[in-house]
Amino acid sequence: MDIGIVGFGKMGKRIYDLAHESSYCVKAVIDCFSDDVRVTSKTISKESLEGCDVVIDFSHPSTAVENIKKYVDYSIPAVIGTTGWYERVDEVKTYTQEKGGAILWSGNFSLGVAATIKIVSYASKLMNTLTEYDVAVHEIHHNKKADSPSGTGLMLAKEVIKNLDRKDEIDTECQHQKIRPNVLHLSSSRVGSVPGIHEVIFDSDVDTITISHSARSRDGFASGSLSAAKWLISEKRVGLFSMDDLINNILGE
């Protein structure tokens, strides 16, 4: 697998190292800000991605959709780890399908997080009959993270409201008044160098049930993105895919 890496921050560098450890070839490293000697180009173009079987993009929300459209135009499958652009998913889906591209996107490529999302889905269905429990989602990340809430936090919140009938709206803002019963509060904290902590909290008058995932390093995200890249280019897939598609394939669902 010949890989192009777009965005050479902490995640990009870890993907680079793990790719070499897995005997993959990194053909291109693109970052407009980095002066690292491993960067091969400052801009995304057909020429700068020549020879790449797949691109893994952890760049910036402001350029995510523009980047995705370029990968589709160049007929290069791409794994998108950049978050903060999800309000344009429908636009990207239409563009990818019309042009016959192959894109896999996720707010989190950790297989542990994927398992956590499935657990939260099941727990939310159980809680439909336990109406005394309220629910909230909280996420904590390092202070350099460019967006809030996290993509994973949104994924968890959406899983809750999809499966818990009494919640049908997500609010990510600070609450200055009593929250409405139908609203799920998704809150965020930014501090230090935390790789990522996500909690789904079911609370009643008598007890609290917490489902939590804590990342110890970026390795889970980096190795998951490489697995996603390998899956995406197998069998020459076409369309817009998510981490659910990869996990369902692993689980045989």
Side-chain angles (χ1 to χ4, degrees):
M1 186 164 65
D2 293 334
I3 302 167
I5 297 173
V6 176
F8 209 50
K10 292 179 179 178
M11 272 301 300
K13 290 181 174 69
R14 194 65 194 120
I15 292 167
Y16 183 98
D17 292 339
L18 287 181
H20 282 289
E21 290 173 17
S22 302
S23 299
Y24 298 135
C25 178
V26 178
K27 285 279 189 179
V29 177
I30 299 173
D31 191 299
C32 61
F33 300 110
S34 177
D35 293 323
D36 193 294
V37 294
R38 293 169 291 182
V39 172
T40 58
S41 179
K42 297 286 188 181
T43 59
I44 298 170
S45 67
K46 198 166 187 176
E47 291 72 27
S48 63
L49 291 173
E50 187 175 359
C52 295
D53 298 321
V54 63
V55 170
I56 300 177
D57 184 315
F58 278 84
S59 53
H60 194 273
S62 63
T63 59
V65 174
E66 177 188 348
N67 291 357
I68 291 169
K69 290 181 177 180
K70 287 180 179 179
Y71 306 142
V72 172
D73 291 342
Y74 302 154
S75 299
I76 302 175
V79 170
I80 309 299
T82 306
T83 59
W85 58 273
Y86 298 155
E87 72 281 357
R88 298 178 68 182
V89 165
D90 289 341
E91 174 189 344
V92 166
K93 183 177 182 179
T94 299
Y95 194 88
T96 302
Q97 290 176 337
E98 288 179 351
K99 300 279 188 176
I103 302 293
L104 190 152
W105 65 279
S106 180
N108 195 310
F109 286 96
S110 163
L111 298 182
V113 165
T116 301
I117 291 170
K118 285 195 170 290
I119 293 167
V120 168
S121 175
Y122 182 68
S124 300
K125 292 173 184 176
L126 286 179
M127 288 297 171
N128 260 329
T129 57
L130 301 175
T131 57
E132 64 270 28
Y133 285 88
D134 198 5
V135 59
V137 178
H138 184 63
E139 56 93 358
I140 307 171
H141 277 86
H142 55 88
N143 57 21
K144 301 294 191 299
K145 187 166 175 59
D147 62 322
S148 176
S150 68
T152 305
L154 282 169
M155 290 161 65
L156 289 167
K158 289 177 180 177
E159 205 62 39
V160 171
I161 64 170
K162 184 171 74 175
N163 294 291
L164 190 67
D165 294 339
R166 57 186 177 273
K167 296 290 184 181
D168 58 15
E169 181 181 335
I170 300 168
D171 194 334
T172 63
E173 299 301 321
C174 179
Q175 299 301 297
H176 297 289
Q177 65 283 318
K178 180 181 177 181
I179 195 164
R180 287 175 284 121
N182 67 305
V183 174
L184 172 65
H185 190 206
L186 166 54
S187 57
S188 304
S189 296
R190 297 291 174 264
V191 61
S193 55
V194 179
I197 300 172
H198 294 88
E199 296 180 329
V200 179
I201 306 155
F202 295 97
D203 185 75
S204 74
D205 289 343
V206 297
D207 57 15
T208 300
I209 301 169
T210 302
I211 301 169
S212 178
H213 180 276
S214 299
R216 293 197 179 98
S217 72
R218 291 178 173 81
D219 282 12
F221 314 134
S223 62
S225 68
L226 288 168
S227 296
K230 188 173 181 179
W231 179 84
L232 185 62
I233 64 175
S234 65
E235 301 179 22
K236 298 184 178 179
R237 288 178 170 81
V238 174
L240 181 65
F241 302 95
S242 71
M243 197 64 175
D244 283 345
D245 297 297
L246 173 59
I247 293 301
N248 289 339
N249 179 262
I250 291 173
L251 297 177
E253 296 181 358

